[in-house]
mmCIF file of all heavy atoms in Angstrom:
data_model
loop_
_atom_site.group_PDB
_atom_site.id
_atom_site.type_symbol
_atom_site.label_atom_id
_atom_site.label_comp_id
_atom_site.label_asym_id
_atom_site.label_seq_id
_atom_site.Cartn_x
_atom_site.Cartn_y
_atom_site.Cartn_z
ATOM 1 N N ALA A 437 -12.129 6.739 -0.211
ATOM 2 C CA ALA A 437 -11.903 5.624 -1.235
ATOM 3 C C ALA A 437 -10.845 4.800 -0.693
ATOM 4 O O ALA A 437 -9.700 5.261 -0.329
ATOM 5 C CB ALA A 437 -11.473 6.324 -2.489
ATOM 6 N N PRO A 438 -11.142 3.463 -0.569
ATOM 7 C CA PRO A 438 -10.179 2.604 0.032
ATOM 8 C C PRO A 438 -9.076 2.121 -0.931
ATOM 9 O O PRO A 438 -9.147 2.263 -2.069
ATOM 10 C CB PRO A 438 -11.007 1.344 0.368
ATOM 11 C CG PRO A 438 -12.174 1.393 -0.610
ATOM 12 C CD PRO A 438 -12.391 2.836 -0.909
ATOM 13 N N ILE A 439 -8.033 1.518 -0.249
ATOM 14 C CA ILE A 439 -6.957 0.934 -0.970
ATOM 15 C C ILE A 439 -6.983 -0.395 -0.367
ATOM 16 O O ILE A 439 -6.912 -0.578 0.872
ATOM 17 C CB ILE A 439 -5.458 1.620 -0.724
ATOM 18 C CG1 ILE A 439 -5.491 2.931 -1.379
ATOM 19 C CG2 ILE A 439 -4.516 0.610 -1.295
ATOM 20 C CD1 ILE A 439 -4.211 3.705 -1.183
ATOM 21 N N ILE A 440 -6.995 -1.432 -1.271
ATOM 22 C CA ILE A 440 -6.864 -2.839 -0.884
ATOM 23 C C ILE A 440 -5.537 -3.345 -1.076
ATOM 24 O O ILE A 440 -4.916 -2.990 -2.167
ATOM 25 C CB ILE A 440 -7.814 -3.819 -1.637
ATOM 26 C CG1 ILE A 440 -9.264 -3.227 -1.546
ATOM 27 C CG2 ILE A 440 -7.552 -5.162 -1.229
ATOM 28 C CD1 ILE A 440 -9.881 -3.349 -0.157
ATOM 29 N N VAL A 441 -4.825 -3.959 -0.076
ATOM 30 C CA VAL A 441 -3.458 -4.440 -0.316
ATOM 31 C C VAL A 441 -3.605 -6.026 -0.177
ATOM 32 O O VAL A 441 -4.163 -6.568 0.712
ATOM 33 C CB VAL A 441 -2.613 -3.995 0.960
ATOM 34 C CG1 VAL A 441 -1.085 -4.465 0.762
ATOM 35 C CG2 VAL A 441 -2.692 -2.479 0.851
ATOM 36 N N GLU A 442 -2.883 -6.603 -1.170
ATOM 37 C CA GLU A 442 -3.024 -8.073 -1.248
ATOM 38 C C GLU A 442 -1.674 -8.625 -1.453
ATOM 39 O O GLU A 442 -0.724 -8.083 -1.782
ATOM 40 C CB GLU A 442 -3.867 -8.463 -2.369
ATOM 41 C CG GLU A 442 -3.593 -8.031 -3.709
ATOM 42 C CD GLU A 442 -4.660 -8.453 -4.751
ATOM 43 O OE1 GLU A 442 -5.683 -8.541 -4.414
ATOM 44 O OE2 GLU A 442 -4.213 -8.498 -5.852
ATOM 45 N N ASP A 443 -1.460 -9.842 -0.984
ATOM 46 C CA ASP A 443 -0.266 -10.734 -1.210
ATOM 47 C C ASP A 443 0.942 -10.064 -0.458
ATOM 48 O O ASP A 443 2.073 -9.847 -1.067
ATOM 49 C CB ASP A 443 -0.015 -11.021 -2.480
ATOM 50 C CG ASP A 443 -1.095 -12.002 -3.235
ATOM 51 O OD1 ASP A 443 -1.440 -12.798 -2.399
ATOM 52 O OD2 ASP A 443 -1.302 -11.768 -4.411
ATOM 53 N N ILE A 444 0.854 -9.653 0.790
ATOM 54 C CA ILE A 444 1.930 -9.022 1.481
ATOM 55 C C ILE A 444 2.927 -10.122 2.025
ATOM 56 O O ILE A 444 2.437 -11.106 2.761
ATOM 57 C CB ILE A 444 1.505 -8.249 2.783
ATOM 58 C CG1 ILE A 444 0.489 -7.161 2.385
ATOM 59 C CG2 ILE A 444 2.593 -7.626 3.507
ATOM 60 C CD1 ILE A 444 -0.180 -6.469 3.553
ATOM 61 N N PRO A 445 4.051 -10.106 1.485
ATOM 62 C CA PRO A 445 5.080 -11.095 1.911
ATOM 63 C C PRO A 445 5.241 -11.040 3.518
ATOM 64 O O PRO A 445 5.192 -9.927 4.077
ATOM 65 C CB PRO A 445 6.366 -10.758 1.269
ATOM 66 C CG PRO A 445 5.929 -9.971 0.110
ATOM 67 C CD PRO A 445 4.757 -9.190 0.552
ATOM 68 N N PRO A 446 5.589 -12.221 4.198
ATOM 69 C CA PRO A 446 5.588 -12.119 5.698
ATOM 70 C C PRO A 446 6.676 -11.233 6.201
ATOM 71 O O PRO A 446 6.330 -10.577 7.156
ATOM 72 C CB PRO A 446 6.062 -13.698 5.966
ATOM 73 C CG PRO A 446 5.420 -14.352 4.831
ATOM 74 C CD PRO A 446 5.650 -13.475 3.621
ATOM 75 N N LYS A 447 7.806 -10.998 5.611
ATOM 76 C CA LYS A 447 8.846 -10.109 6.247
ATOM 77 C C LYS A 447 8.416 -8.607 5.981
ATOM 78 O O LYS A 447 8.745 -7.786 6.805
ATOM 79 C CB LYS A 447 10.200 -10.317 5.667
ATOM 80 C CG LYS A 447 10.413 -9.950 4.155
ATOM 81 C CD LYS A 447 11.897 -10.314 3.802
ATOM 82 C CE LYS A 447 12.262 -9.776 2.405
ATOM 83 N NZ LYS A 447 13.675 -9.985 2.168
ATOM 84 N N ILE A 448 7.562 -8.366 4.917
ATOM 85 C CA ILE A 448 7.149 -7.059 4.662
ATOM 86 C C ILE A 448 6.002 -6.741 5.700
ATOM 87 O O ILE A 448 5.846 -5.681 6.361
ATOM 88 C CB ILE A 448 6.593 -6.808 3.277
ATOM 89 C CG1 ILE A 448 7.734 -7.080 2.263
ATOM 90 C CG2 ILE A 448 6.118 -5.426 3.130
ATOM 91 C CD1 ILE A 448 8.928 -6.232 2.306
ATOM 92 N N LYS A 449 5.149 -7.849 5.903
ATOM 93 C CA LYS A 449 4.049 -7.631 6.930
ATOM 94 C C LYS A 449 4.731 -7.251 8.283
ATOM 95 O O LYS A 449 4.124 -6.401 9.028
ATOM 96 C CB LYS A 449 3.204 -8.869 7.016
ATOM 97 C CG LYS A 449 2.423 -8.820 8.197
ATOM 98 C CD LYS A 449 0.980 -9.271 8.038
ATOM 99 C CE LYS A 449 0.157 -9.265 9.228
ATOM 100 N NZ LYS A 449 0.604 -8.804 10.409
ATOM 101 N N ARG A 450 5.708 -8.079 8.737
ATOM 102 C CA ARG A 450 6.338 -7.710 9.964
ATOM 103 C C ARG A 450 6.842 -6.295 10.077
ATOM 104 O O ARG A 450 6.630 -5.672 11.144
ATOM 105 C CB ARG A 450 7.505 -8.806 10.169
ATOM 106 C CG ARG A 450 7.031 -10.114 10.601
ATOM 107 C CD ARG A 450 8.200 -10.988 11.155
ATOM 108 N NE ARG A 450 9.166 -11.232 10.129
ATOM 109 C CZ ARG A 450 9.253 -12.317 9.148
ATOM 110 N NH1 ARG A 450 8.117 -12.883 9.212
ATOM 111 N NH2 ARG A 450 10.126 -12.417 8.292
ATOM 112 N N LEU A 451 7.454 -5.872 9.020
ATOM 113 C CA LEU A 451 7.862 -4.436 8.980
ATOM 114 C C LEU A 451 6.716 -3.389 9.144
ATOM 115 O O LEU A 451 6.704 -2.531 9.771
ATOM 116 C CB LEU A 451 8.547 -4.150 7.656
ATOM 117 C CG LEU A 451 9.375 -2.734 7.573
ATOM 118 C CD1 LEU A 451 10.253 -2.433 8.611
ATOM 119 C CD2 LEU A 451 9.971 -2.818 6.209
ATOM 120 N N PHE A 452 5.606 -3.714 8.418
ATOM 121 C CA PHE A 452 4.334 -2.876 8.630
ATOM 122 C C PHE A 452 3.948 -3.056 9.961
ATOM 123 O O PHE A 452 3.508 -1.921 10.538
ATOM 124 C CB PHE A 452 3.212 -3.421 7.572
ATOM 125 C CG PHE A 452 3.452 -2.976 6.156
ATOM 126 C CD1 PHE A 452 2.618 -3.607 5.142
ATOM 127 C CD2 PHE A 452 4.536 -2.297 5.789
ATOM 128 C CE1 PHE A 452 2.809 -3.256 3.922
ATOM 129 C CE2 PHE A 452 4.728 -2.025 4.364
ATOM 130 C CZ PHE A 452 3.711 -2.481 3.406
ATOM 131 N N ASP A 453 3.943 -4.183 10.571
ATOM 132 C CA ASP A 453 3.619 -4.341 12.025
ATOM 133 C C ASP A 453 4.384 -3.426 12.917
ATOM 134 O O ASP A 453 3.885 -2.711 13.783
ATOM 135 C CB ASP A 453 3.610 -5.731 12.514
ATOM 136 C CG ASP A 453 2.580 -6.642 11.891
ATOM 137 O OD1 ASP A 453 1.659 -6.130 11.322
ATOM 138 O OD2 ASP A 453 2.771 -7.895 11.954
#
Side-chain angles (χ1 to χ4, degrees):
I439 294 179
I440 303 296
V441 182
E442 58 186 25
D443 294 326
I444 302 173
K447 72 179 188 177
I448 303 298
K449 167 137 180 4
R450 282 191 298 278
L451 186 58
F452 287 174
D453 291 344

